[in-house]
DNA sequence: TTCGTTGCAAACCCTTTGCACGCAC
DNA sequence: GTGCGTGCAAAGGGTTTGCAACGAA
């Protein structure tokens, strides 16, 4: 669910083993109520548009914690910044190389017939499919 | 071809519209003779292991030029640095999230049945498929 | 009290930029 | 001489870290 009421956020955090402090709740709310895929900077701005402030360090640390605990995903498409994705179910992305916009692609739309064999002594960790686009108008 | 003799490097540069200065030749040789996918830093180190030096600025500028001209490709998998790929034909990558190693996957091994429709007003620019792995031994 | 969390500022690292020098045509 | 290419150093921007203060159990 994408509705971000405090109650479900708190239980969500708990279910991922994250103690729900007020800053973490605020950051999670910002991410889960966001229609796009925000960067750390944008999350910082969203969180601090309200009265109370959250420091930059806490935002970065909290995002790392969320990723590590599996609450959210990092999307690596832009060498200059990390984008965060509240949707952790299997899906992929359109990435506009000019505007930087990122849009989800449902996994069912691009599922691979089969994965190639893993290299020796390696185990599967994740699959990212990124379709890079650019605006049609020159 | 991956053999990196000066003659073929020079004609390669010329065919991509890049005037072959000695620094550019040296950088191209480093990339094309490299079995892995080097970062800018590693290319700088490779180039400067010989007698003559190439400055950091020139390495970065030259790599950007090569990418822009289509001689090489950037691979965006690690948020902390850009990797470069001398292979510009259609292929994809295994990326080990622990060691940072990157290995090619031939396009024929993972071809998609079909691409989802482009978002409106966007045109196709490129397709990246990254299979993230980690070492099997804990 | 104790340990986890927060916040500020500084440090870090990769990359880009400003600007002067130098070489080729 | 003009313009591109190079090199040095400094700036830039996102991210991480050191450390002291804080707060909940």
């Amino acid at each position: 669910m994408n509705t971000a009421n405090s109650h479900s956020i708190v239980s969500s955090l708990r279910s991922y083993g994250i103690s729900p402090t007020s800053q973490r709740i605020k950051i999670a709310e910002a991410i889960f109520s966001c229609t796009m895929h925000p960067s750390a900077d944008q999350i910082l701005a969203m969180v601090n548009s309200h009265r109370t402030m959250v420091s930059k360090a806490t935002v970065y640390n909290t995002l790392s914690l969320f990723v590590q605990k599996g609450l959210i995903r990092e999307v690596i498409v832009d060498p200059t910044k990390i984008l965060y994705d509240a949707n952790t179910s299997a899906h992929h992305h359109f990435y506009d190389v000019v505007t930087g916009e990122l849009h989800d692609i449902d996994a069912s739309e691009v599922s691979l017939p089969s994965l190639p064999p893993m290299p020796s002594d390696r185990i599967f960790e994740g699959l990212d499919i990124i379709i890079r686009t650019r605006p049609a108008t020159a």
Side-chain angles (χ1 to χ4, degrees), chain A residues 10-135:
Chain A
V10 168
S11 23
S12 201
L13 290 177
R14 286 224 173 82
S15 71
Y16 280 91
I18 302 166
S19 22
T21 66
S22 71
Q23 288 88 342
R24 289 171 179 176
I25 293 169
K26 216 168 287 171
I27 292 167
E29 279 175 350
I31 300 170
F32 283 94
S33 67
C34 184
T35 60
M36 44 165 215
H37 299 77
S39 64
D41 228 38
Q42 292 174 314
I43 293 165
L44 181 64
M46 288 190 280
V47 163
N48 288 342
S49 63
H50 308 314
R51 320 193 158 61
T52 55
M53 300 276 287
V54 180
S55 76
K56 181 183 282 198
T58 297
V59 168
Y60 276 95
N61 288 337
T62 299
L63 289 172
S64 296
L65 177 70
F66 285 1
V67 169
Q68 177 201 321
K69 293 290 189 176
L71 215 210
I72 61 176
R73 272 205 331 203
E74 288 179 333
V75 186
I76 313 297
V77 281
D78 178 340
T80 73
K81 59 175 162 296
I82 299 173
L83 301 183
Y84 293 91
D85 192 340
N87 179 357
T88 55
S89 64
H91 70 284
H92 305 294
H93 296 100
F94 283 115
Y95 177 68
D96 192 292
V97 297
V98 175
T99 66
E101 284 174 82
L102 195 64
H103 294 285
D104 286 354
I105 304 172
D106 194 86
S108 64
E109 290 194 75
V110 289
S111 59
L112 299 169
S114 66
L115 251 37
M118 291 296 115
S120 56
D121 293 324
R122 296 253 161 76
I123 57 175
F124 180 84
E125 168 85 8
L127 169 65
D128 288 352
I129 299 178
I130 297 149
I131 301 178
R132 289 171 200 275
T133 67
R134 65 169 57 247

